[in-house]
Amino acid sequence: MDLQFTEKNRLLSIYVILLLVVAVGMFCLGRCTSGRGSDDDDYGLDTLHVAIEYAPMSMYTYADTLGGFNYDILRIISQNYGLPMMFHPIVSRQEGINGLMNNTFDLLVADIPATLGNEEGLKYTEPVYLDRQVLVQRRDADGNIAIKSALELGDQTVWVVKDSPMVTRLQNLSEEIGDTIYVNEYDGTSSEQLFILTAIGDIGMCVVNDMTARRLAKSYPNVDTSIKVSLTQFQSWLIREDHPLADSLNTIIRSLKQEPVYRELQQRYLQAN
């Protein structure tokens, strides 16, 4: 029996299972609402429609439960401030932006560094947490890695999720090092899938957010995530400028960041990675 073939089949089976879990989670999320309802809404607003990305830092499923740093924060805001919410799963940042622009969504929650430019009519919220972008690559049989610095990415092919902030970052990095970085955009549902494709050898290397990479790397000891591609960045949400909650939401986030519950979430999702 070909052991290498068997191992790859095992990993691919795990990948398929993860896809099924994602599908179930997104189905459940699409039917999920949170908050006390409009009858006792403290802000006098209708339901806040939140486009949320399926990713370890935004929303994911575990033990038949929905969780994630952003998702838990939104649930707390909904409960504590009387803001009814409905969550809509999305597969790309651009899908969320389009939904904001045509008034389908009120708020976009995804991997969004506040350093990027944004569409006219949209604004960043108060930063919710800090993150950075890292290179994901496999180690060889001796534990060595091919790329030891972001400066060595010239003339290399790197995969990123389609329409993600990583596209802009790699384009800027290419200019900084004076060499071409070939960027392939993966038209899949999440950076989590892109990480797994790298881990099982279907693609060479990819760039994802550090928090996502470190959480997934626990299950893939053959993967290295130590090479930083960006500096630490503020991670925010996007909201329409004309939304009545646009200013109040920043006040709510700043207030929540001073609460013990926020520090507990940091410990669970950020510091425990």
Side-chain angles (χ1 to χ4, degrees):
M1 180 180 294
D2 189 333
L3 293 180
Q4 183 176 2
F5 179 77
T6 302
E7 176 65 11
K8 187 165 185 178
N9 275 355
R10 186 184 69 81
L11 290 171
L12 286 174
S13 297
I14 293 173
Y15 177 53
V16 170
I17 291 171
L18 284 173
L19 286 177
L20 291 175
V21 170
V22 170
V24 172
M26 294 177 81
F27 174 77
C28 294
L29 185 63
R31 303 180 61 185
C32 177
T33 58
S34 177
R36 295 177 300 197
S38 57
D39 289 342
D40 60 345
D41 179 5
D42 295 347
Y43 283 81
L45 297 172
D46 294 328
T47 298
L48 190 72
H49 289 268
V50 181
I52 187 165
E53 180 183 36
Y54 188 90
M57 286 306 297
S58 286
M59 185 280 297
Y60 65 96
T61 58
Y62 62 95
D64 299 325
T65 303
L66 291 173
F69 187 76
N70 285 323
Y71 179 74
D72 284 352
I73 286 181
L74 287 165
R75 296 270 295 183
I76 291 169
I77 289 175
S78 177
Q79 294 165 6
N80 290 359
Y81 293 90
L83 298 175
M85 297 181 185
M86 177 171 286
F87 297 93
H88 303 269
I90 59 170
V91 297
S92 74
R93 176 176 177 265
Q94 191 58 48
E95 179 187 359
I97 290 176
N98 293 342
L100 289 176
M101 300 297 288
N102 63 27
N103 293 336
T104 300
F105 307 134
D106 303 305
L107 182 68
L108 170 59
V109 176
D111 290 340
I112 309 174
T115 54
L116 294 178
N118 58 292
E119 302 284 345
E120 183 178 355
L122 305 180
K123 66 186 296 185
Y124 290 110
T125 66
E126 169 81 10
V128 182
Y129 65 97
L130 298 175
D131 207 344
R132 60 190 174 202
Q133 296 157 6
V134 297
L135 182 72
V136 179
Q137 59 181 323
R138 293 183 305 282
R139 296 187 178 92
D140 64 20
D142 297 321
N144 300 317
I145 55 176
I147 304 298
K148 299 178 176 61
S149 166
L151 300 177
E152 298 178 5
L153 286 175
D155 203 34
Q156 299 291 324
T157 297
V158 182
W159 285 81
V160 299
V161 173
K162 185 177 180 180
D163 297 322
S164 74
M166 288 69 173
V167 177
T168 301
R169 175 54 197 146
L170 287 173
Q171 290 171 345
N172 292 339
L173 180 60
S174 182
E175 294 179 2
E176 292 168 13
I177 66 178
D179 202 350
T180 301
I181 300 174
Y182 299 98
V183 180
N184 284 348
E185 296 189 52
Y186 173 62
D187 195 11
T189 60
S190 72
S191 56
E192 183 175 16
Q193 292 181 22
L194 200 57
F195 181 103
I196 295 172
L197 289 173
T198 304
I200 66 177
D202 280 7
I203 60 176
M205 62 187 76
C206 68
V207 169
V208 302
N209 273 12
D210 186 33
M211 298 299 178
T212 296
R214 282 195 280 163
R215 182 173 292 273
L216 294 173
K218 294 177 180 179
S219 301
Y220 296 92
N222 66 317
V223 170
D224 178 84
T225 63
S226 65
I227 306 303
K228 303 176 183 63
V229 177
S230 74
L231 299 175
T232 299
Q233 300 170 329
F234 292 114
Q235 300 288 316
S236 299
W237 304 333
L238 276 176
I239 191 169
R240 296 199 313 274
E241 285 184 337
D242 62 354
H243 195 279
L245 192 60
D247 293 327
S248 299
L249 186 58
N250 286 331
T251 302
I252 291 172
I253 294 172
R254 282 193 291 268
S255 175
L256 182 61
K257 286 161 67 174
Q258 305 303 314
E259 298 294 327
V261 66
Y262 179 83
R263 291 189 287 275
E264 291 171 5
L265 290 176
Q266 279 187 308
Q267 179 65 35
R268 185 191 310 170
Y269 290 105
L270 307 183
Q271 298 172 14
N273 279 336

